[in-house]
Amino acid sequence: MGFTDRHLLGIEHLSPLAITEILDLADSYVALNRAPSKHADALRGLTQVNMFFENSTRTQASFELAGKRLGADVMNMSMQTSSIKKGETLIDTAMTLNAMRPDLLVVRHPHAGSVALLAQKVTCAVLNAGDGRHEHPTQALLDALTIRRRKGRLHRLSIAICGDIAHSRVARSNIMLLGKMENRVRLVGPPTLMPSGVADLGVEVYDDMREGLRDVDVVMMLRLQKERMDGGFIPSEREFFHRYGLDHEKLAHAKEDAIVMHPAPMNRGVEIDGDLADDINRSVIQEQVEMGVAVRMAAMDLLARNARAAAREGVMA
Ligand code: NCD
């Protein structure tokens, strides 16, 4: 089965075929986005609302552009984190918005599971743009598209995900996606930044960076998520960079053509050396941003198609 879901809440329940379908369509949107005229009308007449209860630069901007390029009416609601009161506000706000009949609701929220809860309450398609440390499906999909285009395939690759894995929804979604597509995933970082239950994830775990990077095809760095830490996870940023910060010397242990990824925002000099992040021979960080727009176009296009198919079936039933 391809991607037939009503919502995009996570990678966890996607089949390899569904993932491939999203990526294939995204490839065609990369071509559109590189053309002088970037308009298509897959979402024409539809309303997209972006609700971000956490800060975002790239994700929000790219969902907005994606919707506009496909002809949707896009509204951005910037929700102040300070005004959230224990989830009730989220559901209330969603119900209010739902009454305005949007077709696509893009939601980022600091609580794991909140976006799935919201999806049960509304009648439109919901896309998870990051829920706490749980999932960030469009990030994993854009990372997958970047890897597939650079490496020519998305299977039988060795991929090291490095740094603050415990607090990272990007890592969680990527571990699931890359595992489903039959890659070898390694997690590299200090034991304090490994998630609990790491043994059940089907990955190899390293606390030595040089060993962890040996012969990998892809090095995926993560931001040290200080806002999700309550102290004591790392000795100091200097020490962290010394042991786990990616620089040319540590990267030399990976394959010669290994690519360097980071979801951004980056802490230069903490998890990654600034010069390496800008090295266009190794770093694909800007390409990830480009792929982000195309993947979000594909995801919203497919959700709109699924909603139309469901409506047709409803009429026929
Ligand atoms: C990530 C996020 O918000 O989870 N950023 C992003 O979406 N590009 C990663 C991060 O914040 O470190």
Side-chain angles (χ1 to χ4, degrees):
M1 282 275 268
F3 182 61
T4 53
D5 301 354
R6 267 190 65 202
H7 307 291
L8 178 60
L9 300 175
I11 298 297
E12 190 172 1
H13 300 295
L14 291 186
S15 67
L17 212 61
I19 292 166
T20 302
E21 188 182 354
I22 298 171
L23 299 185
D24 288 349
L25 182 60
D27 256 329
S28 73
Y29 282 130
V30 175
L32 177 75
N33 289 338
R34 289 181 179 179
S37 171
K38 299 171 176 55
H39 274 264
D41 53 14
L43 301 181
R44 196 176 51 193
L46 302 186
T47 302
Q48 172 192 338
V49 177
N50 298 335
M51 278 169 78
F52 280 68
F53 292 88
E54 260 187 8
N55 293 339
S56 171
T57 313
R58 267 152 295 269
T59 307
Q60 182 164 348
S62 99
F63 265 113
E64 182 177 354
L65 260 188
K68 287 182 169 163
R69 287 188 179 163
L70 294 181
D73 293 311
V74 185
M75 179 170 80
N76 284 312
M77 312 242 332
S78 217
M79 322 297 294
Q80 280 303 317
T81 313
S82 57
S83 71
I84 306 172
K85 293 196 192 76
K86 303 227 162 147
E88 193 184 40
T89 308
L90 168 71
I91 300 301
D92 279 348
T93 314
M95 296 298 282
T96 305
L97 281 171
N98 191 50
M100 298 181 194
R101 298 190 147 268
D103 302 283
L104 296 149
L105 201 51
V106 180
V107 187
R108 169 171 286 192
H109 194 276
H111 297 160
S114 56
V115 183
L117 183 69
L118 181 149
Q120 294 170 10
K121 309 274 181 190
V122 297
T123 46
C124 61
V126 175
L127 292 101
N128 182 3
D131 62 324
R133 51 173 98 167
H134 180 228
E135 279 233 41
H136 192 353
T138 55
Q139 179 70 44
L141 288 161
L142 77 87
D143 290 337
L145 184 62
T146 308
I147 295 170
R148 196 175 79 165
R149 291 171 66 100
R150 277 291 177 142
K151 294 285 155 199
R153 66 179 200 273
L154 189 59
H155 58 275
R156 281 188 289 107
L157 293 167
S158 268
I159 296 157
I161 304 179
C162 311
D164 184 2
I165 292 149
H167 300 100
S168 177
R169 54 196 176 205
V170 175
R172 263 184 67 87
S173 291
N174 264 302
I175 291 166
M176 287 188 269
L177 190 154
L178 295 168
K180 281 175 197 273
M181 305 312 277
E182 301 191 4
N183 296 285
R184 280 181 64 177
V185 178
R186 302 176 179 186
L187 303 184
V188 184
T192 49
L193 293 179
M194 286 296 157
S196 54
V198 72
D200 306 325
L201 294 175
V203 295
E204 296 163 44
V205 179
Y206 294 83
D207 67 1
D208 182 277
M209 182 93 168
R210 291 171 182 83
E211 257 176 58
L213 295 192
R214 187 158 302 141
D215 292 331
V216 298
D217 300 285
V218 177
V219 183
M220 190 180 285
M221 300 307 299
L222 299 168
R223 181 173 65 89
L224 211 51
Q225 311 233 323
K226 289 176 245 175
E227 77 280 18
R228 299 191 205 282
M229 297 182 187
D230 40 21
F233 285 90
I234 57 161
S236 73
E237 290 185 357
R238 253 182 86 117
E239 176 68 12
F240 184 80
F241 183 74
H242 177 66
R243 294 198 54 190
Y244 297 104
L246 187 66
D247 55 14
H248 279 101
E249 186 273 315
K250 293 192 193 81
L251 181 62
H253 294 263
K255 282 203 184 130
E256 214 178 322
D257 61 351
I259 54 171
V260 174
M261 307 178 75
H262 193 304
M266 284 181 267
N267 297 306
R268 289 169 185 262
V270 180
E271 70 261 353
I272 189 164
D273 171 66
D275 288 340
L276 178 56
D278 298 332
D279 180 352
I280 54 166
N281 296 315
R282 307 309 297 268
S283 160
V284 297
I285 296 170
Q286 296 306 323
E287 210 168 301
Q288 289 173 267
V289 179
E290 182 187 5
M291 296 306 125
V293 180
V295 152
R296 286 161 183 136
M297 289 165 86
M300 291 195 291
D301 179 351
L302 290 170
L303 285 173
R305 292 186 206 183
N306 294 347
R308 279 195 293 272
R312 273 198 304 274
E313 272 168 34
V315 170
M316 290 198 306

